[in-house]
Amino acid sequence: DHFIHLLDQFLTLHRKQIDAALAPFLLSLETLREVKNKMRTELEYGLRRETQASATVKMLPTYVCGTPDGTEKGKFLALDLGGTNFRVLLVKIRSGRRRSVQMYNKIFAIPLEIMQGTGEELFDHIVQCIADFLEYMGIKGARLPLGFTFSFPCRQASIDKGTLVGWTKGFKATDCEGEDVVDMLREAIRRRNEFDLDIVAVVNDTVGTMMTCGYEDPNCEIGLIAGTGSNVCYMEDMKNIEIVEGNEGKMCINTEWGAFGDNGCIDNIRTKYDKEVDEGSLNPGKQRYEKMTSGMYLGEIVRQILIDLTKQGLLFRGQISESLRKRGIFETKFLSQIESDRLALLQVRRILQQLGLDSTCEDSIIVKEVCGAVSKRAAQLCGAGLAAIVEKKRENRGVERLQITVGVDGTLYKLHPHFSRVLQETVKELAPQCDVTFMLSEDGSGKGAALITAVAKRLHNIDKYLYAMRLSDETLIDVMARFRREMKNGLSRDFNPTAAVKMLPTFVRSIPDGSEKGDFIALDLGGSYFRILRVKVSHEKKQTVQMESEIYNTPEDIMHGSGTRLFDHVAECLGDFMEKQQIKDKKLPVGFTFSFPCRQSKLDEGILITWTKRFKASGVEGADVVRLLNRAIKKRGDYDADIMAVVNDTVGTMMTCGFDDQRCEVGLIIGTGTNACYMEEMRHIDLVEGDEGRMCINTEWGAFGDDGSLEDIRTEFDREIDRGSLNPGKQLFEKMVSGLYMGELVRLILVKMAKEGLLFEGRITPELLTKGKFETKHVSAIEKSKEGLNKAKEILTRLGVEPSHEDCIAVQHVCTIVSFRSANLVASTLGAILNQLRDNKGVGRLRTTVGVDGSLYKMHPQYARRLHKTTRRLVPDSEVRFLLSESGSGKGAAMVTAVAYRLKSQPWAGQPVMPLCCLLAASPRVLPQGPS
């Protein structure tokens, strides 16, 4: 009792001094929140192209884009270099229901003289260790895929290339920084000339940890190392990684957060002890956050505090022993031992005595307090950093509450009695909307390296099917140049007969000028649904448009029957509409949107060249569709109609948008089919008389490539689609990009991948083998950012497949590649039109509007954004506004008719036809009917 009383007196007497020394280590919730926010800011800087070079948290892309799905199998070699011990592993992965991972490993020491010698010596030593292991396992002759866990900051350009940014953790081997460590390893293997290895992936230990835990829990998307060093990786959305091309899917980012604070942003919480540890390190001024949180430095921080307290006479009788002066004497493992709740003061004293520190019970109490303050701060700081990342993940997913797993490895987390608890409590407090599960990596990052190698092999096998669909900007620019040549051929009288892209004159000469008025009927035929509209254009205070419409079904037997039946059906629907509108007794002007390639010699004539989009009605190709419709109306005899204009849906879209924006001079359809029109200079149109003014050209670009000009970028799946279509060899561009074919393209790829065992564990269902079962609307649903994977599971389940989480990711990846290719190709052809417009106007920078319609553009969640972005990248000297046609091409047909009707009502209408140049001079915005 007397001893305890004296002890209390001693501690009470010196409490102020002890508290003052440890006060900077006590972090308030407000301070931790500030650290979290600063970390979040630094994460964003590291991801942005313009700030990444100067960012301290480098956010290094790893090119690891997937996690294990259970289909990985085979033998793999893994290397694990990250400290004084180097591990070589043979990993056997078995897939299927009895999936398992077997590992055989051997640990080799890396002597200090090798760690701080030359790079050649280091990698020769590594290869010597590999040779010993291969010999030991009896597999020296096998050429195995190898994954290299290299736990130092590397900048990667691909998964098998890693340029060392800077050594950490006591390594200082020369001639390595700025070099590709994979090349150095390959060179060392060649020098030895005893064996060969297929080095597939170089990864950080955090990534290996995440992959190891991800094998057990697909929800694991964060990897944390809390050991000798400190670092985190996580799966980031590609759209947020500006330093890597591409916007789709995810990629693992190695944050290298150990350098957080190197720019001074956390100097307010660094203590004099942190500064002393930093100044005495191998890399002063670098890795400041790591030096406050990792096992390599915590013992040294404690030693600095003990020296300070000893100088104040509070420890070891005021005597600084030789042992205490020795850097590194107080290892972090001693913190873990001293802080154990089960350890009595006598045992703490015994540990101190082993370190050559002659201590008393009072000393033991104070040392225990110091260790507790240092390790608690480390855990809290790690928790603050981790909270920033889980909050970012929650925002990425756009959910109110996030459930996520963090894979963790490292001696500090595993062995310290309180570190993991404090870390978890801090994350919970700072990220209250995130339910975080911490999963300990039992097998280390070596297993993770093998799994990454297996996933990389699997993704390589998947990507070999998709590689041809990934089009570089160089290829897209080349396609743009090819289409420009096709446009020129189509406009030429000499080359048009053999040109694939027909460049059809429409005899539409201008967009609405605001003076149109009247009551019009518009017909819109272009798919399985046929729409009829009544459009009233009036002028009171301002020009207004009122529309009423009715949609009618076009049954497949009519689409594939005779032309007579088809136009009788159209006439019947028109009669029904006029009856409902009570206008059967009126002869209203009619505009006919007919969304198939037609050759025109005047505005109210359209000779069908060929059917597209599943239509096959006989006796129509080569005939005037206006005449066929007039004949069907006359045969009925119960109403009359004045069909004044036949237009393509692209022209209708341009005219609709032109009503709102008179800069609109391009119409674009991206839906069931695809096409574009634009306003061309008359002097370039050999097919029509006259050189003055402009005329809208219907490109009919769906046939681009029918002459073989796209063979080098068409894939086996495009050819299979074409062979199974109603019009083999025709509309090849349309079959690569439009909504009618996109879902089927995805289905064919999935079937091929399943047959190869890359998806659905090789299972193929009758539904998956059925043509048309995978629709383009499914592609749109699967690519939704928040619920896409759930939609994938739902859709695949309906197709009889029981997909794994990774199957769903792979299917989403396939959908993305197919739809991205479509948007890129459309951007190329649109870019050719924009360049033509710019050259026609002779301006350095084109300002124009593109009117757009079509279900793919409207309904696909990513398509419009991709198209806009690629177009602006391919044609940087154009300022393009994309204007969505809200009212469809039917309104545009009515606008064309209104302009034609206005022209017909001019005072000189009915007089002998003036030469075209005089007509244009009289009214620069007129839309003539052509010779009658």
Side-chain angles (χ1 to χ4, degrees), residues 653-654 657 664 666-670 830 850-854 857-858 867-868 881-886:
T653 296
M654 185 187 74
C657 295
C664 184
V666 181
L668 176 61
I669 300 288
I670 316 168
L830 178 60
V850 176
V852 198
D853 201 358
Y857 184 88
K858 286 179 176 178
L867 173 66
H868 302 169
R881 180 191 182 204
F882 288 86
L883 182 60
L884 186 63
S885 170
E886 299 292 351

Side-chain angles (χ1 to χ4, degrees), residues 475-489:
T475 301
L476 295 175
I477 289 166
D478 187 36
V479 169
M480 190 160 64
R482 294 182 212 181
F483 187 68
R484 187 83 183 271
R485 288 194 294 271
E486 293 292 323
M487 290 169 65
K488 189 176 179 181
N489 288 341

Side-chain angles (χ1 to χ4, degrees), residues 287-306:
Q287 300 294 108
R288 290 179 176 177
Y289 182 70
E290 184 170 72
K291 287 168 184 172
M292 298 168 78
T293 58
S294 77
M296 186 164 185
Y297 301 97
L298 297 190
E300 187 59 16
I301 294 171
V302 168
R303 188 181 74 89
Q304 293 291 348
I305 299 170
L306 299 186

